[in-house]
Amino acid sequence: MNFLRTLVGKLWITIICLVAFVLLSVGLFFLPYIDMNFANAGAIKRLFVIVSMIGFSLTTFFALFLFTKITQPMQRLIQAADSIRKGKYDTRLSLRTSDEIGVLSNTFNHMAEELERTIRSLKHEKEHLSSVLRSMNDAVITLDVSGYVILTNPPGERVLKLWGDLPDEEGMEEAGETAIFLESGKNAQGSLQKVPRPLEQIFRRVLDQETDQSTNIHVKKSVWSVHMAPLASDGGIRGAVAVLRDVTEEVRLEKMRRDFVANVSHEIRTPLSMMQGYSEALLDGMASSPEESAELVQVIHDESLRMGRLVRDLLDLARMEAGHTDMPMRRVDFRELAERVYRKFQVRAKDNNLALKLELQGDPLVLHAANEDRLEQVLTNLLDNAFRHTPEGGRIVIGANPEEDRSEGALLHVTIKDSGVGIPADDLPFVFDRFYKADKARVRGESGGTGLGLAIVKNIVDSHGGTIYADSEIGKGTVFHLLLPVESTQES
């Protein structure tokens, strides 16, 4: 820095000029005295030189004094301010004077302490907000007014990656306008990641209406609940923040609940209507003979049994899903169990003109941790299902053979195969849902089932640590496969 441009330099020049002015004024005032006492011109010249040197020395001394008292503290103050500008908020001044420089130093230190406290508080708030965002299960995406992503949490990052490869909308004017709107600029961070396509419409509504917007969107067979709010700044909108939650499971459960209530109402309404109608017929004396009365009473009795089966199956299914079913596990000889079930259904097979076969391979067929009563219920339900959907002259086979799986170990592979009407391929994933019998895509031979048998079967197999699935082809029959672990997979 040029010395003459500093405060001390300016003061030094001012003092020199002032001293020169004073010396000239005094010299002119004392000029008659000089002429009387200094007749020699050389003596006068020496006098002025001595006075000038004394004046210059005095001004230089005062300049050094000012440099020590003013310029050095000011330079230290400038250095401290520059350190704070660079982020060193713990910088302090150690000037101990009672003048204005000391007051300025104390004020600077207080300012630095307040600034450091404020920065520390802001840092703690930022870390707290960051921790909250990281710990949230919901996805948070913050957008600027141009539609570019400026902040996300980890779930939000996953959502952006999941939605990053969505196909573009085809030939829609609105989609073209959206592209122009979003490509208008970049955000401050230089990010080129735009608002995900499923959020474009709700983002435009937030900016246009400047109010919160909530909706459910469907993306890749998933349902997302979106709540987006505008970000206000200085009376204007500078962007929006979106909170997204995957509600696919909630929507699915709600649909299952509605379907369950509707199906239960449907199943109960039919026997109730029949019982009410036939009982009214009896009360009105419409039966003209004891035989007709007995027939009406028999129908009422059968429908009451049907309702009883429905209620019993519902209670069993609810207890199993809640884990409240007592299911002690012990060693079970599956060959003996299969032969017993086979003998129980032989009479029904003859009555329905069906060929029932038992094909057991391997010996022994033993499960070391299973519940015999529940497995008998599984076989009974599957065979009852096969009998009801196999026409006369058909064939039903009960099969079992041991298998070895590298990951699951020894397994018992049980099959129930029929030559019935079959199940459409689109309906196979849903055969173990409650009230599948209400599905019109499947042909029915009889209507005596409750629609809960396969759901109960799946729960029992799951409780044994096994798996169940079905293979079917329309017109050629269905095969149910049970894979049961031979050894214990859980505590009994």
mmCIF file of all heavy atoms in Angstrom, residues 164-196:
data_model
loop_
_atom_site.group_PDB
_atom_site.id
_atom_site.type_symbol
_atom_site.label_atom_id
_atom_site.label_comp_id
_atom_site.label_asym_id
_atom_site.label_seq_id
_atom_site.Cartn_x
_atom_site.Cartn_y
_atom_site.Cartn_z
ATOM 1 N N GLY A 164 -36.154 -42.224 -12.459
ATOM 2 C CA GLY A 164 -35.319 -41.578 -13.451
ATOM 3 C C GLY A 164 -35.437 -42.172 -14.839
ATOM 4 O O GLY A 164 -35.136 -41.503 -15.830
ATOM 5 N N ASP A 165 -35.867 -43.435 -14.941
ATOM 6 C CA ASP A 165 -35.946 -44.088 -16.251
ATOM 7 C C ASP A 165 -37.381 -44.263 -16.721
ATOM 8 O O ASP A 165 -37.674 -45.150 -17.526
ATOM 9 C CB ASP A 165 -35.265 -45.460 -16.200
ATOM 10 C CG ASP A 165 -35.865 -46.366 -15.120
ATOM 11 O OD1 ASP A 165 -36.641 -45.850 -14.288
ATOM 12 O OD2 ASP A 165 -35.550 -47.567 -15.111
ATOM 13 N N LEU A 166 -38.287 -43.414 -16.227
ATOM 14 C CA LEU A 166 -39.673 -43.512 -16.685
ATOM 15 C C LEU A 166 -39.770 -43.075 -18.140
ATOM 16 O O LEU A 166 -39.110 -42.116 -18.563
ATOM 17 C CB LEU A 166 -40.587 -42.630 -15.830
ATOM 18 C CG LEU A 166 -40.792 -43.073 -14.380
ATOM 19 C CD1 LEU A 166 -41.653 -42.062 -13.652
ATOM 20 C CD2 LEU A 166 -41.430 -44.445 -14.315
ATOM 21 N N PRO A 167 -40.587 -43.746 -18.962
ATOM 22 C CA PRO A 167 -40.718 -43.343 -20.368
ATOM 23 C C PRO A 167 -41.421 -42.007 -20.485
ATOM 24 O O PRO A 167 -42.250 -41.632 -19.654
ATOM 25 C CB PRO A 167 -41.565 -44.480 -20.977
ATOM 26 C CG PRO A 167 -42.328 -45.040 -19.815
ATOM 27 C CD PRO A 167 -41.420 -44.914 -18.619
ATOM 28 N N ASP A 168 -41.059 -41.253 -21.534
ATOM 29 C CA ASP A 168 -41.689 -39.961 -21.777
ATOM 30 C C ASP A 168 -43.121 -40.154 -22.226
ATOM 31 O O ASP A 168 -43.493 -41.152 -22.842
ATOM 32 C CB ASP A 168 -40.924 -39.186 -22.859
ATOM 33 C CG ASP A 168 -39.530 -38.814 -22.382
ATOM 34 O OD1 ASP A 168 -39.327 -38.787 -21.145
ATOM 35 O OD2 ASP A 168 -38.666 -38.576 -23.241
ATOM 36 N N GLU A 169 -43.938 -39.154 -21.927
ATOM 37 C CA GLU A 169 -45.321 -39.187 -22.370
ATOM 38 C C GLU A 169 -45.361 -38.959 -23.884
ATOM 39 O O GLU A 169 -44.572 -38.194 -24.447
ATOM 40 C CB GLU A 169 -46.125 -38.108 -21.650
ATOM 41 C CG GLU A 169 -46.167 -38.316 -20.150
ATOM 42 C CD GLU A 169 -46.858 -37.182 -19.438
ATOM 43 O OE1 GLU A 169 -47.335 -36.277 -20.130
ATOM 44 O OE2 GLU A 169 -46.907 -37.210 -18.209
ATOM 45 N N GLU A 170 -46.290 -39.587 -24.513
ATOM 46 C CA GLU A 170 -46.324 -39.587 -25.977
ATOM 47 C C GLU A 170 -47.242 -38.491 -26.500
ATOM 48 O O GLU A 170 -48.408 -38.418 -26.129
ATOM 49 C CB GLU A 170 -46.809 -40.946 -26.499
ATOM 50 C CG GLU A 170 -45.878 -42.094 -26.131
ATOM 51 C CD GLU A 170 -46.401 -43.395 -26.671
ATOM 52 O OE1 GLU A 170 -47.490 -43.376 -27.283
ATOM 53 O OE2 GLU A 170 -45.743 -44.424 -26.499
ATOM 54 N N GLY A 171 -46.687 -37.610 -27.380
ATOM 55 C CA GLY A 171 -47.467 -36.714 -28.208
ATOM 56 C C GLY A 171 -48.450 -35.825 -27.513
ATOM 57 O O GLY A 171 -49.451 -35.458 -28.106
ATOM 58 N N MET A 172 -48.234 -35.449 -26.272
ATOM 59 C CA MET A 172 -49.166 -34.594 -25.559
ATOM 60 C C MET A 172 -48.618 -33.171 -25.543
ATOM 61 O O MET A 172 -47.440 -32.931 -25.256
ATOM 62 C CB MET A 172 -49.374 -35.092 -24.122
ATOM 63 C CG MET A 172 -50.048 -36.442 -24.043
ATOM 64 S SD MET A 172 -50.202 -37.019 -22.343
ATOM 65 C CE MET A 172 -51.162 -35.705 -21.620
ATOM 66 N N GLU A 173 -49.485 -32.192 -25.853
ATOM 67 C CA GLU A 173 -49.050 -30.806 -25.850
ATOM 68 C C GLU A 173 -48.616 -30.385 -24.456
ATOM 69 O O GLU A 173 -47.672 -29.633 -24.281
ATOM 70 C CB GLU A 173 -50.186 -29.907 -26.343
ATOM 71 C CG GLU A 173 -50.533 -30.142 -27.809
ATOM 72 C CD GLU A 173 -51.620 -29.207 -28.265
ATOM 73 O OE1 GLU A 173 -52.070 -28.395 -27.436
ATOM 74 O OE2 GLU A 173 -52.005 -29.279 -29.432
ATOM 75 N N GLU A 174 -49.327 -30.864 -23.466
ATOM 76 C CA GLU A 174 -48.981 -30.506 -22.099
ATOM 77 C C GLU A 174 -47.579 -30.979 -21.759
ATOM 78 O O GLU A 174 -46.814 -30.296 -21.083
ATOM 79 C CB GLU A 174 -49.990 -31.118 -21.131
ATOM 80 C CG GLU A 174 -49.729 -30.742 -19.685
ATOM 81 C CD GLU A 174 -50.757 -31.341 -18.751
ATOM 82 O OE1 GLU A 174 -51.699 -31.974 -19.270
ATOM 83 O OE2 GLU A 174 -50.621 -31.185 -17.533
ATOM 84 N N ALA A 175 -47.196 -32.167 -22.233
ATOM 85 C CA ALA A 175 -45.852 -32.663 -21.971
ATOM 86 C C ALA A 175 -44.812 -31.770 -22.634
ATOM 87 O O ALA A 175 -43.771 -31.476 -22.050
ATOM 88 C CB ALA A 175 -45.702 -34.097 -22.474
ATOM 89 N N GLY A 176 -45.083 -31.269 -23.849
ATOM 90 C CA GLY A 176 -44.140 -30.373 -24.503
ATOM 91 C C GLY A 176 -43.993 -29.064 -23.768
ATOM 92 O O GLY A 176 -42.898 -28.538 -23.588
ATOM 93 N N GLU A 177 -45.107 -28.484 -23.309
ATOM 94 C CA GLU A 177 -45.046 -27.254 -22.536
ATOM 95 C C GLU A 177 -44.267 -27.459 -21.254
ATOM 96 O O GLU A 177 -43.502 -26.595 -20.824
ATOM 97 C CB GLU A 177 -46.463 -26.772 -22.231
ATOM 98 C CG GLU A 177 -47.225 -26.348 -23.466
ATOM 99 C CD GLU A 177 -48.656 -25.998 -23.137
ATOM 100 O OE1 GLU A 177 -49.034 -26.156 -21.967
ATOM 101 O OE2 GLU A 177 -49.378 -25.576 -24.048
ATOM 102 N N THR A 178 -44.446 -28.596 -20.647
ATOM 103 C CA THR A 178 -43.718 -28.872 -19.407
ATOM 104 C C THR A 178 -42.229 -28.908 -19.659
ATOM 105 O O THR A 178 -41.445 -28.375 -18.881
ATOM 106 C CB THR A 178 -44.181 -30.219 -18.826
ATOM 107 O OG1 THR A 178 -45.581 -30.150 -18.576
ATOM 108 C CG2 THR A 178 -43.449 -30.525 -17.541
ATOM 109 N N ALA A 179 -41.811 -29.514 -20.748
ATOM 110 C CA ALA A 179 -40.389 -29.598 -21.042
ATOM 111 C C ALA A 179 -39.787 -28.210 -21.221
ATOM 112 O O ALA A 179 -38.711 -27.906 -20.706
ATOM 113 C CB ALA A 179 -40.168 -30.447 -22.297
ATOM 114 N N ILE A 180 -40.502 -27.309 -21.939
ATOM 115 C CA ILE A 180 -40.003 -25.950 -22.110
ATOM 116 C C ILE A 180 -39.922 -25.238 -20.768
ATOM 117 O O ILE A 180 -38.968 -24.543 -20.461
ATOM 118 C CB ILE A 180 -40.917 -25.180 -23.088
ATOM 119 C CG1 ILE A 180 -40.848 -25.819 -24.479
ATOM 120 C CG2 ILE A 180 -40.514 -23.723 -23.164
ATOM 121 C CD1 ILE A 180 -41.826 -25.223 -25.463
ATOM 122 N N PHE A 181 -40.922 -25.420 -19.955
ATOM 123 C CA PHE A 181 -40.969 -24.770 -18.639
ATOM 124 C C PHE A 181 -39.815 -25.214 -17.759
ATOM 125 O O PHE A 181 -39.185 -24.405 -17.086
ATOM 126 C CB PHE A 181 -42.306 -25.108 -17.979
ATOM 127 C CG PHE A 181 -42.403 -24.667 -16.544
ATOM 128 C CD1 PHE A 181 -42.567 -23.350 -16.237
ATOM 129 C CD2 PHE A 181 -42.315 -25.600 -15.530
ATOM 130 C CE1 PHE A 181 -42.659 -22.937 -14.916
ATOM 131 C CE2 PHE A 181 -42.394 -25.207 -14.216
ATOM 132 C CZ PHE A 181 -42.579 -23.869 -13.914
ATOM 133 N N LEU A 182 -39.486 -26.496 -17.797
ATOM 134 C CA LEU A 182 -38.460 -27.009 -16.908
ATOM 135 C C LEU A 182 -37.059 -26.773 -17.446
ATOM 136 O O LEU A 182 -36.111 -26.756 -16.678
ATOM 137 C CB LEU A 182 -38.674 -28.512 -16.688
ATOM 138 C CG LEU A 182 -39.938 -28.853 -15.905
ATOM 139 C CD1 LEU A 182 -40.084 -30.358 -15.827
ATOM 140 C CD2 LEU A 182 -39.894 -28.259 -14.508
ATOM 141 N N GLU A 183 -36.913 -26.575 -18.726
ATOM 142 C CA GLU A 183 -35.587 -26.378 -19.295
ATOM 143 C C GLU A 183 -35.193 -24.910 -19.324
ATOM 144 O O GLU A 183 -34.189 -24.538 -19.910
ATOM 145 C CB GLU A 183 -35.554 -26.940 -20.738
ATOM 146 C CG GLU A 183 -35.647 -28.449 -20.819
ATOM 147 C CD GLU A 183 -34.382 -29.123 -20.348
ATOM 148 O OE1 GLU A 183 -33.400 -28.417 -20.075
ATOM 149 O OE2 GLU A 183 -34.388 -30.363 -20.241
ATOM 150 N N SER A 184 -35.981 -24.010 -18.693
ATOM 151 C CA SER A 184 -35.735 -22.587 -18.803
ATOM 152 C C SER A 184 -34.483 -22.133 -18.092
ATOM 153 O O SER A 184 -34.004 -21.046 -18.320
ATOM 154 C CB SER A 184 -36.937 -21.818 -18.256
ATOM 155 O OG SER A 184 -37.157 -22.181 -16.896
ATOM 156 N N GLY A 185 -33.914 -22.894 -17.167
ATOM 157 C CA GLY A 185 -32.709 -22.453 -16.476
ATOM 158 C C GLY A 185 -32.193 -23.512 -15.547
ATOM 159 O O GLY A 185 -32.747 -24.583 -15.391
ATOM 160 N N LYS A 186 -31.076 -23.180 -14.894
ATOM 161 C CA LYS A 186 -30.465 -24.066 -13.919
ATOM 162 C C LYS A 186 -30.618 -23.461 -12.541
ATOM 163 O O LYS A 186 -30.771 -22.262 -12.384
ATOM 164 C CB LYS A 186 -28.978 -24.263 -14.228
ATOM 165 C CG LYS A 186 -28.709 -24.942 -15.562
ATOM 166 C CD LYS A 186 -27.214 -25.111 -15.759
ATOM 167 C CE LYS A 186 -26.915 -25.792 -17.094
ATOM 168 N NZ LYS A 186 -25.464 -25.967 -17.291
ATOM 169 N N ASN A 187 -30.523 -24.308 -11.529
ATOM 170 C CA ASN A 187 -30.572 -23.786 -10.176
ATOM 171 C C ASN A 187 -29.199 -23.303 -9.752
ATOM 172 O O ASN A 187 -28.215 -23.435 -10.466
ATOM 173 C CB ASN A 187 -31.109 -24.856 -9.213
ATOM 174 C CG ASN A 187 -30.208 -26.061 -9.154
ATOM 175 O OD1 ASN A 187 -29.281 -26.183 -9.935
ATOM 176 N ND2 ASN A 187 -30.468 -26.936 -8.220
ATOM 177 N N ALA A 188 -29.143 -22.764 -8.522
ATOM 178 C CA ALA A 188 -27.898 -22.168 -8.053
ATOM 179 C C ALA A 188 -26.790 -23.194 -7.910
ATOM 180 O O ALA A 188 -25.615 -22.879 -8.022
ATOM 181 C CB ALA A 188 -28.147 -21.458 -6.716
ATOM 182 N N GLN A 189 -27.143 -24.433 -7.642
ATOM 183 C CA GLN A 189 -26.139 -25.470 -7.467
ATOM 184 C C GLN A 189 -25.674 -26.063 -8.794
ATOM 185 O O GLN A 189 -24.790 -26.904 -8.815
ATOM 186 C CB GLN A 189 -26.688 -26.604 -6.579
ATOM 187 C CG GLN A 189 -26.790 -26.250 -5.116
ATOM 188 C CD GLN A 189 -27.922 -25.299 -4.827
ATOM 189 O OE1 GLN A 189 -28.814 -25.127 -5.643
ATOM 190 N NE2 GLN A 189 -27.896 -24.653 -3.678
ATOM 191 N N GLY A 190 -26.270 -25.655 -9.892
ATOM 192 C CA GLY A 190 -25.866 -26.179 -11.184
ATOM 193 C C GLY A 190 -26.380 -27.569 -11.465
ATOM 194 O O GLY A 190 -25.909 -28.231 -12.367
ATOM 195 N N SER A 191 -27.336 -28.069 -10.688
ATOM 196 C CA SER A 191 -27.852 -29.412 -10.885
ATOM 197 C C SER A 191 -28.740 -29.445 -12.118
ATOM 198 O O SER A 191 -29.522 -28.534 -12.360
ATOM 199 C CB SER A 191 -28.641 -29.848 -9.645
ATOM 200 O OG SER A 191 -29.297 -31.069 -9.900
ATOM 201 N N LEU A 192 -28.619 -30.521 -12.891
ATOM 202 C CA LEU A 192 -29.440 -30.682 -14.082
ATOM 203 C C LEU A 192 -30.578 -31.652 -13.844
ATOM 204 O O LEU A 192 -31.268 -32.007 -14.779
ATOM 205 C CB LEU A 192 -28.567 -31.174 -15.244
ATOM 206 C CG LEU A 192 -27.473 -30.203 -15.715
ATOM 207 C CD1 LEU A 192 -26.647 -30.840 -16.812
ATOM 208 C CD2 LEU A 192 -28.083 -28.902 -16.195
ATOM 209 N N GLN A 193 -30.783 -32.094 -12.590
ATOM 210 C CA GLN A 193 -31.832 -33.067 -12.298
ATOM 211 C C GLN A 193 -33.154 -32.328 -12.129
ATOM 212 O O GLN A 193 -33.323 -31.517 -11.228
ATOM 213 C CB GLN A 193 -31.496 -33.845 -11.025
ATOM 214 C CG GLN A 193 -32.369 -35.072 -10.853
ATOM 215 C CD GLN A 193 -31.780 -36.011 -9.834
ATOM 216 O OE1 GLN A 193 -30.949 -35.622 -9.037
ATOM 217 N NE2 GLN A 193 -32.223 -37.252 -9.849
ATOM 218 N N LYS A 194 -34.082 -32.626 -13.013
ATOM 219 C CA LYS A 194 -35.352 -31.922 -13.017
ATOM 220 C C LYS A 194 -36.343 -32.618 -12.091
ATOM 221 O O LYS A 194 -36.110 -33.710 -11.587
ATOM 222 C CB LYS A 194 -35.923 -31.873 -14.430
ATOM 223 C CG LYS A 194 -35.041 -31.123 -15.428
ATOM 224 C CD LYS A 194 -35.714 -31.029 -16.781
ATOM 225 C CE LYS A 194 -35.976 -32.399 -17.377
ATOM 226 N NZ LYS A 194 -36.547 -32.328 -18.734
ATOM 227 N N VAL A 195 -37.471 -31.939 -11.900
ATOM 228 C CA VAL A 195 -38.542 -32.529 -11.121
ATOM 229 C C VAL A 195 -38.990 -33.819 -11.796
ATOM 230 O O VAL A 195 -39.120 -33.875 -13.023
ATOM 231 C CB VAL A 195 -39.720 -31.537 -10.999
ATOM 232 C CG1 VAL A 195 -40.206 -31.080 -12.353
ATOM 233 C CG2 VAL A 195 -40.884 -32.175 -10.228
ATOM 234 N N PRO A 196 -39.177 -34.919 -11.047
ATOM 235 C CA PRO A 196 -39.621 -36.172 -11.673
ATOM 236 C C PRO A 196 -40.937 -35.976 -12.420
ATOM 237 O O PRO A 196 -41.803 -35.198 -11.997
ATOM 238 C CB PRO A 196 -39.781 -37.121 -10.480
ATOM 239 C CG PRO A 196 -38.911 -36.551 -9.415
ATOM 240 C CD PRO A 196 -38.939 -35.070 -9.607
#
